[in-house]
Amino acid sequence: MIIEARKLCKEYPAFQLKDVDILLPEGYVLGLIGPNGAGKTTTIKLLMNIIPPDAGEIRLFGMQWNEANEELIKQEIGYVGEEQPFYDQMSVKWTSNFVRQFYPNWDDEFYADLINRFEIDERNKVGDLSKGNRVRFALAVALAHKPRLLILDEPTSGLDPLIRHEILKILAEIISDGTRSILFSTHITEDLDKIADYIVLLNDGRVLLSDEKDQITAETKKVYLKRDDFHRLPSDLFIAHKMISNECVAVTTKFHELKRAYESITGDEPQAFGMSLDEVMLAYVKGEV
Amino acid sequence: MTALVYKDFYQTRKVLIYCLVIWAIFLGLAMINTSEGGVGLIYSAGIIITNTMLTRILYNEERYQGIYFMKTLPLKSSLIVTSKFVVGFILSAGSSLLVGLAASIVCRMGLHGLTTQDAIGATLVSFTFTLIFSGFFVKLYFAYGYAKVAQYMVLVTIGVVIVLSTIEAILKELAAKTGAITALNQPYWLVVPPLIGLITYTLCWRSALKSFK
Amino acid sequence: MYIHLSQKDVRPLYEQIVDQVKALIMDGTLSAGESLPSIRQLAQQLLTSVITVRRAYDELEHQGYIYTRPGLGTFVSEISEGELARMRQEQAVELLSTAIRKCRALGLGKEEIEDVIENLLEQLDQPKEDRHDNRS
């Protein structure tokens, strides 16, 4: 396991993170999704040892966070925070030179490639970079030492679809050799979640859903039913529904079970549609269709 | 470690030059102005330089979330804390050497009736004071953040001055009573204040290491 | 090998890959012995999860369409003409039964449906220049 975090708890005056488990095997991508304020950033900061947990256990690459391991673990991580902090008054060049000293594996050539590919002028002050270029630069800095684990906190929030797609492609490229793993958080899905193997849905500091993404998308479906049929089906098959006169749109989290039950009632297949993770999230968090 | 310390000075290099200019102006004034105040200017340069630089360095960290940034890099938390104490130490020592330099220049020129021992004494007293000042400054910065420190550092400074001068007064009175006043004027007593400063500084550093997570 | 994935499709993503690879094998685009991209390559190309592609490959292998040689890669299986014909038949049954079920739901009777199919077949067998081939 690259990330093995169990029962993470962290209490703040106005917010509480409770019993969050995060498991990520090598070579895979985990998407931490949830609305704003769900606890995604707190979880990531706990995993990164930027803040200490009140309770719970964290192992990265099989190592626990402690004074002796801190450098070792972080040398294997590439991190891009939400609004990644940099010394904004310093130049891009100074910043990369500052950061590279701390990574024995820093690859100058690879870094130069990334900077060229992103078309970033190294003479610029970091604070003068556009939002998109700041993220690109942060990504270049995070990737230049070829980390085994990439941790990205809302990397694409507020960026246009073109840059989001570009970042998605880079991430897909990184994991293609099978030795690197990625954990990212996002509240807008529809892009990064495409490459996610595992999804952890957080809401209000708790894990609502944690599974292989394929399992989630295979079992969570939007179905159109007659009102009467809906009432004849077991209600625990659904997490949300909406009546429109005699029709009903419902979200099921147990599609195969529902299909069997529906077929035994009506002798027909239910009319079902796949859902994006955005819609899945909405159904779980708000109970809305 | 070197990288972190160098970073702080590099980022504030303009402020450093500004501080040196102030020092030169104070020195110039002390040469022209032969009253008591002239020498006072030289003595105060140490704390002014230390305070200006430290404020700027910690303000930078606050403004750009520097501590958070460094915590994302492969750096031990203890190193982040210690590097700031090293910076504080260099500032105290450096600015006090400037005080000493200015004092000895004035002494060489035969102004203000300064002796070599006065110059050495000024350096050591400045070192003590700036060391205790930066010790508290950095410790409180790690404990409460920049905003609170900036707000209360004046009070802390006044407190330190009162405590130090009270101790000095008590010691002198005690010495006078016991007839040890001549012993107090011996040069080796000059090392006592810096020693107190170093002990205080170390305590601040240890306590910051312990509390910072 | 062009594969298109849609999140809106009721079929899971892995099934979409399975169906499309099968179709490519049946229409001869992929021939026996041809090597397929690795799981991670295909995941990168499709911008989809590794698990999805792995599951699709497992399924295709299980159904006998492809085989894996450890260290060498994944290849299209040798499928006999008879087997291919049977698979095409199977596919046709699946496609038509969905269509017929939908027609029934619209209230069409057996004869009406047969009429539609016959008409369609006639139309589609017109000379080629009259229609557009939309398959990509």
Side-chain angles (χ1 to χ4, degrees), chain B residues 79-210:
Chain B
L79 191 75
I80 297 173
V81 173
T82 304
S83 77
K84 286 285 176 286
F85 278 92
V86 170
V87 166
F89 186 87
I90 292 173
L91 283 173
S92 305
S95 64
S96 302
L97 284 176
L98 286 175
V99 168
L101 183 62
S104 53
I105 290 172
V106 171
C107 160
R108 277 290 169 84
M109 292 172 72
L111 297 168
H112 299 289
L114 277 186
T115 63
T116 310
Q117 193 176 333
D118 286 337
I120 295 170
T123 311
L124 293 178
V125 168
S126 169
F127 181 57
T128 308
F129 187 61
T130 49
L131 206 53
I132 294 175
F133 173 84
S134 12
F136 276 110
F137 202 151
V138 178
K139 156 69 198 161
L140 294 174
Y141 168 74
F142 279 112
Y144 304 110
Y146 177 81
K148 283 233 170 87
V149 181
Q151 200 174 342
Y152 295 117
M153 208 49 212
V154 177
L155 285 179
V156 173
T157 311
I158 293 170
V160 169
V161 171
I162 291 172
V163 170
L164 282 182
S165 45
T166 312
I167 291 175
E168 195 198 1
I170 290 172
L171 274 179
K172 279 196 171 151
E173 199 166 315
L174 222 67
K177 270 187 186 160
T178 56
I181 192 77
T182 42
L184 259 189
N185 281 334
Q186 291 297 314
Y188 56 78
W189 275 99
L190 284 173
V191 293
V192 172
L195 221 55
I196 295 173
L198 283 171
I199 292 167
T200 313
Y201 201 69
T202 313
L203 289 177
C204 287
W205 172 49
R206 303 307 301 180
S207 134
L209 277 181
K210 214 174 274 177

Side-chain angles (χ1 to χ4, degrees), chain A residues 15-35:
Chain A
F15 172 76
Q16 194 188 18
L17 194 77
K18 193 134 171 57
D19 294 335
V20 171
D21 289 356
I22 305 277
L23 297 166
L24 175 61
E26 181 164 40
Y28 292 95
V29 181
L30 186 146
L32 190 57
I33 66 171

Side-chain angles (χ1 to χ4, degrees), chain A residues 96-121:
Chain A
S96 65
N97 278 333
F98 175 68
V99 171
R100 74 191 279 280
Q101 315 173 71
F102 307 117
Y103 295 98
N105 293 336
W106 182 279
D107 184 337
D108 280 322
E109 216 169 296
F110 184 46
Y111 171 76
D113 277 356
L114 287 166
I115 287 294
N116 285 337
R117 179 164 159 187
F118 294 153
E119 295 176 350
I120 293 170
D121 185 344

Side-chain angles (χ1 to χ4, degrees), chain C residues 30-36 67 74-79:
Chain C
L30 289 172
S31 48
E34 198 170 315
S35 83
L36 293 177
Y67 63 93
T74 306
F75 305 91
V76 177
S77 303
E78 195 79 50
I79 301 169

